[in-house]
Structure formats: structure tokens, C-alpha cells
Amino acid sequence: MTAYLITSVSVVGAAPTDLLIRDGVVADVGPGLTAPDATVIDGTGLVALPGLVDLHTHLREPGREDAETVESGSRAAALGGYTAVCAMANTSPVADTAGVVEQVWRLGREANLVDVQPIGAVTVGLAGERLAELGAMADSAARVRIFSDDGHCVADPKLMRRALEYVKAFDGIIAQHAEEPRLTEGAQMHEGEVSTRLGLIGWPAVAEEAIIARDVLLAEHVGSRLHVCHVSTAGSVEVLRQAKARGVRVTAEVTPHHLLLTDVKAETYDPVFKVNPPLRTAADVTALRAALADGVIDVIATDHAPHAVEDKECEWAYARPGMLGLETALSIALDVLGPQWDLIAERMSRAPARIAGLTGHGVDPAPGVPANLTVIDPAARRTIEPAELASRSRNTPYARMTLPGRIVATFLRGEPTVLDGKATK
Ligand code: DOR
């Protein structure tokens, strides 16, 4: 195993120091380190963070390998600074059995670019009618702890209650896609002034807020853990704020795109901006940023949602919702938050690793900890060219935008998955 000595690097924003990686762990951190056998990386001006952890990634395998595979998505993740991703269950077949979650987990191990932690479906086939075999998935080699029908809401309150009760036995989490389906029938974008002007059917904020309000009450009643996926409205933030103040065991994530973009993008009719939940208003963006800063929102999660060209380059109404996220998330975080390294490490690595229970991830580089880390050049700027992304899909909403920050290197258990900005395999 090659050793790596990163010199004069800032660890999570602290004064520059040296960092030695050897035998899969951070062997030493301190000024003036020497290691004659090590490959030296000049870390001047660079920042080392614990490897990023994504709670919400769509890898599309099995079933839509034309859009993404576990391997291509893992490579995209590594290039984005990630060392672990949680793979959503809305594959084909759906990840609702021990067999499918083990398949995804094994493919992740084979690719060995990030740790792939499968999420299991809450209901059979995501149909919202019967609970899936949650216990069998928890007991499988994939050791599933997070369950989600993401893409669909677990709309039936009785099923949601049963799911929350069931996962308590192994301290599992239900991650809800909060969307009251009766309120979003035919919806194409956020319901508001822009949708009225464009004549598109709107997805009202209350469809999200009503489900979150219901689910925090259910989680409180049952004493179980709830995670809210892709929070997108100011009203949702207020519901979460009150629930957290009462001590409800709820955590929440926001996507990079909901922190940056608004429903005004729909005026282009470019389906690259179609996403679920939809892009909201500037006031929502302001509230989401404040909630991220004060901790009402725990995590930035990408909702990386690759789609094949024919599913995106068509009329708005026919296009599938979703955007790529893994390769640009850190740049968007840097753009939105500035160089608040401790906050970035907390929201993109420590908190998601804690929520998902991923040991060895989300730990700041220090002697003896597993060398799962990423090294960033915050001063670099790069223009996003969709054709240059590692994802098999091209549906980035940031095409040709110039964004701050570049991932220089990512290490998974001491082995580089990215070096000099390029994937090592
Ligand atoms: O925009 C979205 N795309 N939202 C979801 O909830 C699902 C995702 C997908 O799977 O494409």
C-alpha cells in the first residue's frame, strides 16, 4: 500500500499542517512530517475534509444502467469528494428484498470507489400498499438501516405508522419523500406566480408541509426516527423547527439545487430544471439557507437523479424529474455557504454519516482514523461541461456555469480514488 504525505494542508479550515496516510488510516497529523517512502502531495492552499457522505443518491442499477450504474455513480461520487453514498431503492426491480439490496451492496464493493450503502424500500414495489421485508433487508449482508419509497410518498398514515414502529427494533429510520399525492396530481412545477403565468399545473408547498407535519406527529407518537428527504419550502422548515424543539427524533436534508435555484428557471421550459419536489421561490431558498446554518436542516444531500437523454430532452410535461448532483455538490455548498469548512464538514460528512450509522466515515482526519477524506482546492474555479462528467447521464442544471472549488484528491481507506482531479480507475 502506497503512503501519501500531504504537506501544508488545512484540515477542516485550521492552520496548514502535514497529513500522512499509511496502511488505510491517517497515520499522523502535524507540522514538519517526513516519510521517505511516501508519495508527496503539495497541499498548499488546499483543504482536507472528512470524505463526503451522501444520504440520497440514485444509482439506477439494477434496471436503468443506460442512465447510471453503481460503478459510474460511484466514480461520479468519488470525483465529487464522496467516500460513501446511500443508494435509493427506486430501481427496477425495486430494492424491496434482501436479494436486491445485497446485489447493490456487492456491486458497490466490486467498484470499490465509495462505500455504497443501500436504502431499502418501505413498501413492496413502492406501491404504498404493503410493507416490504424490512427485517430481512436489515439482517442481510447490506445491513440496511434506512428505508424509503423516495420518488413516492408513503401516503397511507397507517402504513407509515407501522413502518416507523417496525424499524424501531433495530434503530432504523424511515426517510420520507413528503408529497401528499392528492394535492400534486398532474403537477409540473411549484404552484405560485410563475406557474400561473406559464399555465402549468402547480405543486403547492402545502403538499410537502402537510406530510411532514403528519409524520413528525407519527414519529413522536411512536418514538421512532424519521428523516425528511429534500426539504424545499419555508413552511416545512417551520414545522421541523417546532418538532425538533419538542424533541421529536427527526432529521432533514436539503439538496444543493434547492439551495441555489428557483422556480423562475421553469420559464426556460428546459426540462433539466424539472425536479421533484420542484424548485421553489427565492423566499424558500432564503429560509432553507438559514435552516442549514442553524441546524434545523441537518444535511446537504444531493438527490443525484441521473436520467437518459430521451427522458430529459423532450417536452417539459413528458420529462422525468431529477438532476445530477454528485459532481457539483461541494461547489454549490461553497458557493452558498462560503469557506465555512466546519459547517460544510458537519452538513456533508459528519451528520449524514451519523444518521446513516456509517462507521469510519464522517470523522475528521486525525491520527488513527480511517483515511476516508477529500482534498479541495477552494480557490480553483471550473466551468461545468456536461460531456466531461463521469455520470452516464448529462442532466446537470449547472451546464456551462463557472463554480468555485475543485476536488484534488479523494481517499477511500487510504487508497486514492481521485488524484490530481482525476479518477484513479
Ligand atoms: O426529482 C426527483 N427524481 N425526485 C425524486 O424524488 C425521485 C428522483 C428520481 O428517481 O429520478
Side-chain angles (χ1 to χ4, degrees), residues 56 58 60 90 150-152 177 230 274-277 303 305-307 321-323:
H56 192 144
H58 295 274
R60 303 296 188 222
N90 62 339
D150 181 65
H152 301 264
H177 171 119
H230 42 50
K274 183 173 173 179
V275 66
N276 190 16
D303 197 0
H307 286 297
M323 303 174 165

Side-chain angles (χ1 to χ4, degrees), residues 169-185:
F170 43 85
D171 205 26
I173 301 175
I174 303 296
Q176 177 70 295
H177 171 119
E179 173 182 357
E180 167 49 64
R182 296 278 288 150
L183 291 175
T184 61
E185 279 168 17

Side-chain angles (χ1 to χ4, degrees), residues 239-276:
V239 174
L240 289 164
R241 190 184 303 282
Q242 291 172 22
K244 285 191 163 192
R246 285 203 311 279
V248 179
R249 300 173 78 199
V250 59
T251 53
E253 69 186 38
V254 63
T255 70
H257 44 274
H258 288 111
L259 288 170
L260 190 70
L261 308 173
T262 67
D263 60 344
V264 171
K265 288 285 186 193
E267 289 176 354
T268 64
Y269 285 104
D270 183 342
V272 80
F273 298 115
K274 183 173 173 179
V275 66
N276 190 16

